[in-house]
Amino acid sequence: MTCPNKSRRQFLQYTAVSLVTASSPASAFFRLNNPCLNPSKTPVSKLEELAWQGVNPENWWDCHTHIVGSGDNGSGITLSEQMNAPLLHPIQTLLHWAYANAACTGKKGGQDVGYVNRIVALLETMPKGAKAMLYAFDKAHGANGDADHANTAFFVPNEYAMMLAKRYPERFEWVASIHPYRRDCEAVLEQAVVQGARAVKWLPPAMGIDPASPQCDRFYKVASKLNIPIISHGGEEKSVHGADQPLFGNPLRLRRALDAGVRVVIAHCATLGNDLDESGKSIRSFDIFAKLMAEKQWQGQLFGDISAIVLRNREVDVVKTLLTETAWHSRLLNGSDYPLTGVLPLISIKNFVESGLLAEETLEPLLALQDYHPFRFDFVLKRSLSWQGKRFASSVFETRPFFTGEVNS
C-alpha cells in the first residue's frame, strides 16, 4: 500500500485505527503492533557493517528524536485532552496510543519511565559515542505572549529534556523548545544555551509561530549572537493539531530568520505538502526548499534534516532528488523522527526495492532490523538507498560538528 498523495495525518489515522481493528497482525501489511523486542538481541548483518563504514560513531547524533510520555512520573509532560478522550476524539486518542506503542512506553502509569528505559536500551546497543538529540516541545502561545493552553497539543518541558541529557550524557543531547512570542524568550534561550541545549525546535503550525513575524526578531537576534540553530518544521503538518496554522509551515517564512543571521534547519526537508511561492502559486513545499537551498547567500546558514523522508507518504522522486543533489549533502543532517520509525506500517522497504532505490538483497536484513531497532533500522535503510549510483554522503550522518560549532559549514 502506498499513499504518496495523502497527508501524514491521514495515513497515521488509518494506521491508528488499524492498530486497534487488525485481525491478522502477522499478515504482510498488518505488522502494526511494535513487538518491542529486546534490542540486545538485534541481529547484526553485513549490510549494517557496511553502513558504518566511513561514519565515525562519535559524530553520529540523531538530530530529530521526540520525547514521548504522559507526565505520569513527574516529567512535567502534559497532553491535550483530545489525546485521552476515546469517545469524543477517537482518532487523536488512537494516534497517541500509536506513538506510545511505537516507543514501547508500557502501560498507563509508567509511560514516562518506560520511554526512557526503552530508548536507553536501544542506544546502548549502538557504537560508543552514538547519541540521540531529545526534543523539548513548548506550548502554543498567542500574539500577546501568553501561553495558549487550549491550543497546545502537548508540552515537554525544557527542564525534562535537559535532565535526561545530564542523566545519560553518553547517549543523549538535548534540544530546547522556546516560543518566540514569550515575553521571556530571550532570557530562556540564553539560559538554555548555558545549560547545554544544542538547538531550538519549532513546529510553527501547531505552536502558532509565524517565522516571518516581526515578533520573532528579538529571538532571532539572540539566536544569531549565540550561534544556536533553529530546527523548524517545513511543509505540511497535520499529525499534531495544536494552533492549526498550516500557512506557518511554508519554508519561505524562514527567510526572516536567515536575514537575521540565524542558522536554520528545515525539518524533513519540507518533503510533504504544498505551499504558496512568491507569486502566490501553490507548489510542492519541497520545491520551495530546493529553491532556498539554491540561493547562494544562505549556503552557510540553511540546512535540512532528512528525518521522515522514508515514510510511505513521501514521493519517491523527492528521495531520488535528495540522493542525487550531492551539492546539498554537506548541508543535510540525519535524524530519524523517532518514535515514528517504530510505527511499522509507516515505512515500506518493499516499496523502495520496487522503486529501484534498494537492492533486493537488502530486504531481509532491513526487515529484521525494523522489528528490533528503529534507530539502527532508519540509519541502515538511509545508508543503503541509492539512485543513479548516488548515495547519501557519510557526512550526512556525522551531525555532531554542526551542533557543537566545531565546523562552519
Side-chain angles (χ1 to χ4, degrees):
M1 173 183 175
T2 59
C3 52
N5 296 318
K6 291 185 178 181
S7 71
R8 184 167 80 171
R9 175 172 171 258
Q10 288 174 315
F11 186 72
L12 285 173
Q13 287 176 350
Y14 178 82
T15 298
V17 173
S18 299
L19 281 164
V20 174
T21 61
S23 60
S24 180
S27 65
F29 178 73
F30 288 113
R31 296 174 66 253
L32 298 168
N33 194 43
N34 191 322
C36 297
L37 301 175
N38 185 345
S40 68
K41 304 294 185 181
T42 305
V44 178
S45 65
K46 182 66 174 178
L47 188 68
E48 184 171 4
E49 293 175 359
L50 289 172
W52 282 106
Q53 289 185 9
V55 177
N56 181 356
E58 294 285 341
N59 290 333
W60 192 97
W61 288 9
D62 184 316
C63 76
H64 202 121
T65 309
H66 293 284
I67 294 174
V68 175
S70 60
D72 55 22
N73 195 50
S75 65
I77 294 174
T78 61
L79 303 174
S80 164
E81 292 181 358
Q82 294 183 8
M83 291 187 173
N84 288 294
L87 296 180
L88 295 176
H89 303 284
I91 297 300
Q92 289 298 305
T93 301
L94 288 170
L95 285 172
H96 174 237
W97 183 86
Y99 300 144
N101 174 262
C104 302
T105 60
K107 297 180 179 179
K108 190 174 181 180
Q111 290 188 348
D112 291 353
V113 172
Y115 167 83
V116 174
N117 290 343
R118 177 65 177 179
I119 195 171
V120 169
L122 289 168
L123 291 168
E124 283 301 311
T125 71
M126 298 191 69
K128 183 179 179 181
K131 293 185 179 184
M133 298 177 67
L134 301 180
Y135 282 5
F137 197 87
D138 204 356
K139 298 173 183 177
H141 283 66
N144 62 1
D146 292 337
D148 182 0
H149 301 288
N151 288 309
T152 293
F154 63 95
F155 170 62
V156 179
N158 287 327
E159 292 77 11
Y160 184 58
M162 177 187 67
M163 181 272 290
L164 292 177
K166 289 189 174 181
R167 181 182 294 177
Y168 301 97
E170 70 286 357
R171 290 301 181 184
F172 294 149
E173 297 288 335
W174 76 284
V175 174
S177 186
I178 304 163
H179 201 294
Y181 298 178
R182 290 174 55 158
R183 297 181 185 89
D184 61 354
C185 69
E186 297 149 295
V188 174
L189 177 57
E190 289 173 343
Q191 183 65 20
V193 172
V194 169
Q195 294 173 329
R198 298 296 189 178
V200 174
K201 167 61 177 174
W202 285 356
L203 182 50
M207 297 170 71
I209 300 170
D210 180 2
S213 170
Q215 284 190 270
C216 299
D217 287 349
R218 59 198 178 99
F219 189 85
Y220 292 152
K221 183 177 180 180
V222 177
S224 177
K225 180 185 72 173
L226 298 175
N227 195 33
I228 186 168
I230 295 174
I231 304 172
S232 185
H233 178 92
E236 185 177 18
E237 172 57 57
K238 290 190 176 179
S239 62
V240 179
H241 284 194
D244 196 19
Q245 296 287 341
L247 297 180
F248 292 171
N250 189 330
L252 288 177
R253 305 190 81 81
L254 290 162
R255 275 185 171 154
R256 193 176 190 97
L258 295 167
D259 284 334
V262 180
R263 286 190 297 159
V264 173
V265 180
I266 297 181
H268 325 303
C269 296
T271 48
L272 188 66
N274 285 16
D275 280 302
L276 300 180
D277 66 8
E278 293 96 333
S279 69
K281 180 182 177 182
S282 178
I283 65 173
R284 293 190 309 178
S285 304
F286 178 71
D287 293 332
I288 295 177
F289 169 79
K291 176 179 172 61
L292 291 172
M293 290 289 279
E295 294 178 357
K296 292 183 178 180
Q297 68 267 38
W298 310 133
Q299 290 188 7
Q301 285 181 250
L302 180 64
F303 303 81
D305 87 28
I306 61 169
S307 65
I309 67 165
V310 294
L311 298 187
R312 285 176 180 262
N313 56 355
R314 264 56 179 186
E315 297 177 10
V316 169
D317 73 306
V318 163
V319 179
K320 291 177 179 177
T321 298
L322 288 169
L323 289 168
T324 55
E325 286 285 352
T326 55
W328 291 357
H329 288 188
S330 63
R331 299 162 63 195
L332 297 181
L333 305 166
N334 180 55
S336 64
D337 211 0
Y338 180 86
L340 282 184
T341 44
V343 183
L344 298 182
L346 290 185
I347 302 172
S348 172
I349 308 164
K350 185 178 179 182
N351 285 352
F352 286 119
V353 173
E354 293 175 348
S355 299
L357 287 161
L358 283 177
E360 190 168 355
E361 58 266 25
T362 66
L363 184 61
E364 185 176 339
L366 284 171
L367 281 171
L369 268 179
Q370 188 177 26
D371 278 341
Y372 276 90
H373 205 295
F375 285 103
R376 285 162 59 182
F377 164 70
D378 180 77
F379 168 63
V380 177
L381 169 58
K382 289 173 182 170
R383 284 289 276 165
S384 302
L385 292 171
S386 175
W387 184 249
Q388 296 179 348
K390 301 294 194 301
R391 298 175 183 270
F392 285 123
S394 299
S395 62
V396 175
F397 303 91
E398 295 190 344
T399 61
R400 180 180 66 87
F402 174 80
F403 290 104
T404 58
E406 295 176 28
V407 295
N408 293 318
S409 299

mmCIF file of all heavy atoms in Angstrom, residues 48-63:
data_model
loop_
_atom_site.group_PDB
_atom_site.id
_atom_site.type_symbol
_atom_site.label_atom_id
_atom_site.label_comp_id
_atom_site.label_asym_id
_atom_site.label_seq_id
_atom_site.Cartn_x
_atom_site.Cartn_y
_atom_site.Cartn_z
ATOM 1 N N GLU A 48 24.586 -3.864 7.747
ATOM 2 C CA GLU A 48 24.795 -2.872 8.793
ATOM 3 C C GLU A 48 26.281 -2.559 8.955
ATOM 4 O O GLU A 48 26.665 -1.402 9.172
ATOM 5 C CB GLU A 48 24.204 -3.345 10.122
ATOM 6 C CG GLU A 48 24.308 -2.301 11.225
ATOM 7 C CD GLU A 48 23.544 -2.669 12.483
ATOM 8 O OE1 GLU A 48 22.975 -3.779 12.543
ATOM 9 O OE2 GLU A 48 23.524 -1.826 13.399
ATOM 10 N N GLU A 49 27.117 -3.556 8.850
ATOM 11 C CA GLU A 49 28.560 -3.322 8.930
ATOM 12 C C GLU A 49 29.011 -2.372 7.827
ATOM 13 O O GLU A 49 29.819 -1.462 8.060
ATOM 14 C CB GLU A 49 29.310 -4.653 8.838
ATOM 15 C CG GLU A 49 29.089 -5.570 10.042
ATOM 16 C CD GLU A 49 29.744 -6.928 9.858
ATOM 17 O OE1 GLU A 49 30.350 -7.158 8.780
ATOM 18 O OE2 GLU A 49 29.658 -7.757 10.779
ATOM 19 N N LEU A 50 28.472 -2.571 6.624
ATOM 20 C CA LEU A 50 28.809 -1.689 5.504
ATOM 21 C C LEU A 50 28.310 -0.266 5.749
ATOM 22 O O LEU A 50 28.962 0.704 5.368
ATOM 23 C CB LEU A 50 28.211 -2.238 4.209
ATOM 24 C CG LEU A 50 28.858 -3.510 3.645
ATOM 25 C CD1 LEU A 50 28.033 -4.049 2.471
ATOM 26 C CD2 LEU A 50 30.287 -3.235 3.190
ATOM 27 N N ALA A 51 27.133 -0.157 6.405
ATOM 28 C CA ALA A 51 26.550 1.158 6.658
ATOM 29 C C ALA A 51 27.462 2.020 7.527
ATOM 30 O O ALA A 51 27.540 3.245 7.345
ATOM 31 C CB ALA A 51 25.176 1.008 7.306
ATOM 32 N N TRP A 52 28.154 1.404 8.469
ATOM 33 C CA TRP A 52 29.001 2.172 9.383
ATOM 34 C C TRP A 52 30.352 2.539 8.770
ATOM 35 O O TRP A 52 31.057 3.390 9.319
ATOM 36 C CB TRP A 52 29.211 1.406 10.686
ATOM 37 C CG TRP A 52 28.033 1.497 11.608
ATOM 38 C CD1 TRP A 52 27.113 0.524 11.877
ATOM 39 C CD2 TRP A 52 27.637 2.638 12.369
ATOM 40 N NE1 TRP A 52 26.170 0.983 12.756
ATOM 41 C CE2 TRP A 52 26.464 2.279 13.084
ATOM 42 C CE3 TRP A 52 28.149 3.925 12.528
ATOM 43 C CZ2 TRP A 52 25.814 3.176 13.936
ATOM 44 C CZ3 TRP A 52 27.506 4.814 13.373
ATOM 45 C CH2 TRP A 52 26.346 4.434 14.064
ATOM 46 N N GLN A 53 30.703 1.915 7.668
ATOM 47 C CA GLN A 53 31.981 2.240 7.039
ATOM 48 C C GLN A 53 31.985 3.695 6.579
ATOM 49 O O GLN A 53 31.104 4.136 5.862
ATOM 50 C CB GLN A 53 32.248 1.300 5.867
ATOM 51 C CG GLN A 53 32.569 -0.131 6.277
ATOM 52 C CD GLN A 53 32.959 -1.013 5.096
ATOM 53 O OE1 GLN A 53 33.151 -0.540 3.985
ATOM 54 N NE2 GLN A 53 33.073 -2.307 5.342
ATOM 55 N N GLY A 54 32.980 4.438 7.016
ATOM 56 C CA GLY A 54 33.084 5.844 6.649
ATOM 57 C C GLY A 54 32.356 6.790 7.584
ATOM 58 O O GLY A 54 32.426 8.008 7.406
ATOM 59 N N VAL A 55 31.628 6.260 8.572
ATOM 60 C CA VAL A 55 30.899 7.086 9.540
ATOM 61 C C VAL A 55 31.522 6.898 10.919
ATOM 62 O O VAL A 55 31.613 5.773 11.421
ATOM 63 C CB VAL A 55 29.400 6.716 9.587
ATOM 64 C CG1 VAL A 55 28.686 7.541 10.662
ATOM 65 C CG2 VAL A 55 28.747 6.931 8.233
ATOM 66 N N ASN A 56 31.950 7.975 11.526
ATOM 67 C CA ASN A 56 32.519 7.933 12.871
ATOM 68 C C ASN A 56 31.381 7.956 13.889
ATOM 69 O O ASN A 56 30.661 8.960 13.979
ATOM 70 C CB ASN A 56 33.437 9.138 13.087
ATOM 71 C CG ASN A 56 34.074 9.142 14.464
ATOM 72 O OD1 ASN A 56 33.789 8.303 15.312
ATOM 73 N ND2 ASN A 56 34.948 10.112 14.697
ATOM 74 N N PRO A 57 31.193 6.884 14.660
ATOM 75 C CA PRO A 57 30.084 6.865 15.627
ATOM 76 C C PRO A 57 30.124 8.015 16.630
ATOM 77 O O PRO A 57 29.074 8.431 17.128
ATOM 78 C CB PRO A 57 30.263 5.516 16.334
ATOM 79 C CG PRO A 57 31.013 4.667 15.352
ATOM 80 C CD PRO A 57 31.938 5.616 14.646
ATOM 81 N N GLU A 58 31.313 8.541 16.912
ATOM 82 C CA GLU A 58 31.416 9.668 17.839
ATOM 83 C C GLU A 58 30.699 10.907 17.292
ATOM 84 O O GLU A 58 30.327 11.801 18.048
ATOM 85 C CB GLU A 58 32.889 9.997 18.088
ATOM 86 C CG GLU A 58 33.658 8.912 18.826
ATOM 87 C CD GLU A 58 33.341 8.862 20.312
ATOM 88 O OE1 GLU A 58 32.813 9.874 20.826
ATOM 89 O OE2 GLU A 58 33.606 7.836 20.947
ATOM 90 N N ASN A 59 30.519 10.951 15.982
ATOM 91 C CA ASN A 59 29.848 12.089 15.349
ATOM 92 C C ASN A 59 28.393 11.797 14.998
ATOM 93 O O ASN A 59 27.723 12.663 14.423
ATOM 94 C CB ASN A 59 30.597 12.496 14.077
ATOM 95 C CG ASN A 59 31.933 13.134 14.374
ATOM 96 O OD1 ASN A 59 32.125 13.725 15.436
ATOM 97 N ND2 ASN A 59 32.883 13.011 13.453
ATOM 98 N N TRP A 60 27.915 10.594 15.328
ATOM 99 C CA TRP A 60 26.557 10.184 14.958
ATOM 100 C C TRP A 60 25.585 10.651 16.035
ATOM 101 O O TRP A 60 25.429 10.039 17.068
ATOM 102 C CB TRP A 60 26.487 8.662 14.795
ATOM 103 C CG TRP A 60 25.232 8.158 14.146
ATOM 104 C CD1 TRP A 60 25.051 7.842 12.843
ATOM 105 C CD2 TRP A 60 23.975 7.863 14.797
ATOM 106 N NE1 TRP A 60 23.777 7.378 12.627
ATOM 107 C CE2 TRP A 60 23.086 7.392 13.805
ATOM 108 C CE3 TRP A 60 23.517 7.974 16.102
ATOM 109 C CZ2 TRP A 60 21.768 7.015 14.084
ATOM 110 C CZ3 TRP A 60 22.198 7.614 16.395
ATOM 111 C CH2 TRP A 60 21.345 7.130 15.384
ATOM 112 N N TRP A 61 24.958 11.787 15.775
ATOM 113 C CA TRP A 61 23.915 12.298 16.661
ATOM 114 C C TRP A 61 22.625 12.352 15.858
ATOM 115 O O TRP A 61 22.528 13.099 14.876
ATOM 116 C CB TRP A 61 24.246 13.703 17.160
ATOM 117 C CG TRP A 61 25.344 13.791 18.170
ATOM 118 C CD1 TRP A 61 26.197 12.799 18.569
ATOM 119 C CD2 TRP A 61 25.733 14.972 18.893
ATOM 120 N NE1 TRP A 61 27.090 13.265 19.501
ATOM 121 C CE2 TRP A 61 26.819 14.604 19.722
ATOM 122 C CE3 TRP A 61 25.278 16.281 18.924
ATOM 123 C CZ2 TRP A 61 27.456 15.519 20.577
ATOM 124 C CZ3 TRP A 61 25.903 17.199 19.765
ATOM 125 C CH2 TRP A 61 26.976 16.815 20.585
ATOM 126 N N ASP A 62 21.636 11.562 16.248
ATOM 127 C CA ASP A 62 20.319 11.620 15.608
ATOM 128 C C ASP A 62 19.685 12.949 16.008
ATOM 129 O O ASP A 62 19.324 13.151 17.164
ATOM 130 C CB ASP A 62 19.469 10.440 16.072
ATOM 131 C CG ASP A 62 18.109 10.367 15.384
ATOM 132 O OD1 ASP A 62 17.449 11.421 15.250
ATOM 133 O OD2 ASP A 62 17.707 9.280 14.995
ATOM 134 N N CYS A 63 19.521 13.847 15.035
ATOM 135 C CA CYS A 63 19.139 15.221 15.371
ATOM 136 C C CYS A 63 17.633 15.445 15.420
ATOM 137 O O CYS A 63 17.195 16.596 15.515
ATOM 138 C CB CYS A 63 19.785 16.200 14.394
ATOM 139 S SG CYS A 63 19.024 16.278 12.752
#
